Amino acid sequence: AANHIVSIRKRRRIETTFEELARTNSASQGMAQFLEACIAARANILVSGNAPLPMLSALATSSGMNGERAVVVQDVEEIGVGNAQVATLSLGEEGVRAAAKLRAGRIIVTQLTGGIAAATVDAMAEGNDGVLAALPAPTLRQGINRLVAQLVLHRPGLSVVGEAFDIAVEIGAFPDGRLRVMRIAELGGADQKGVVARDLFVFNADPGGGDGNFSATGVVPRIANDLAARGMKLDAGMFKRSGR
């Protein structure tokens, strides 16, 4: 008779904060401050890279989420959401559609793939804002290209990633186990080369094998004007190009 083994694994819930990311040099203070402001401004944020869930958790536990109603569409319980009133729905296209119908303050999606991606973009097109979504991929650019291809497959003619999401973040896990935010970019429509992504902050690797550093690119994002109009003026020095 054949032998059978049943393996039961309990997935560890990921809980991370901006303070922790800054303390471990996974992100700069400027990056954290900017993303906190984006949460408060209800920007739609796409997180990609080979370790997107810690950043998604940090966004979801931001002080800008205090008291809000949030629906997390996730598999089991992947991330913690500490500062909001949370409901959880099963990961899937129907879960996203149900979340959109609930008109919660936030929709958080932990796996933006296939029909789930199409339903999430539909939800944003219908007026849901402040959407946070994670898309595993080696890099942000590869993640965006993959997302566009999946949307075209599920919604012929629909490739509006750069219009649906305002900000994109790439976060990666390095061989030494450390996380680093590789880039934060503002998305804006598309051109002949694909979705337009303007880098705002980047990680600069150290050729000598050191820790590297983070810098602003000098680009002032359009969302800064939106924030100013809401009385949430950001320090302009945050975006000043820093020396490498």
Side-chain angles (χ1 to χ4, degrees), residues 81-92:
V81 182
N83 298 311
Q85 302 174 41
V86 182
T88 297
L89 294 175
S90 297
L91 187 65

Side-chain angles (χ1 to χ4, degrees), residues 10-154:
K10 183 177 181 180
R11 181 173 296 178
R12 183 172 63 88
R13 186 172 71 167
I14 294 173
E15 294 183 347
T16 313
T17 63
F18 286 135
E19 291 76 11
E20 183 178 345
L21 290 174
R23 187 177 67 250
T24 58
N25 202 32
S26 297
S28 68
Q29 289 288 351
M31 286 174 162
Q33 290 170 11
F34 174 68
L35 291 175
E36 288 266 15
C38 288
I39 290 291
R42 305 191 60 77
N44 296 323
I45 304 176
L46 171 67
V47 183
S48 196
N50 64 9
L53 289 184
M55 174 54 74
L56 188 68
S57 175
L59 292 167
T61 56
S62 163
S63 60
M65 295 279 286
N66 280 338
E68 287 201 50
R69 292 173 59 241
V71 177
V72 186
V73 184
Q74 61 182 336
D75 183 15
V76 195
E77 192 175 4
E78 297 178 287
I79 65 168
V81 182
N83 298 311
Q85 302 174 41
V86 182
T88 297
L89 294 175
S90 297
L91 187 65
E93 187 173 350
E94 291 307 313
V96 174
R97 297 197 182 289
K101 290 178 182 177
L102 288 173
R103 290 292 176 185
R106 304 275 180 173
I107 298 176
I108 302 169
V109 183
T110 61
Q111 293 279 341
L112 196 67
T113 57
I116 299 172
T120 302
V121 170
D122 284 348
M124 289 186 278
E126 292 164 5
N128 289 276
D129 59 0
V131 173
L132 310 176
L135 173 62
T139 67
L140 174 60
R141 175 54 62 188
Q142 287 172 287
I144 289 175
N145 289 342
R146 182 181 301 174
L147 184 55
V148 169
Q150 290 175 341
L151 287 173
V152 170
L153 181 65
H154 286 80

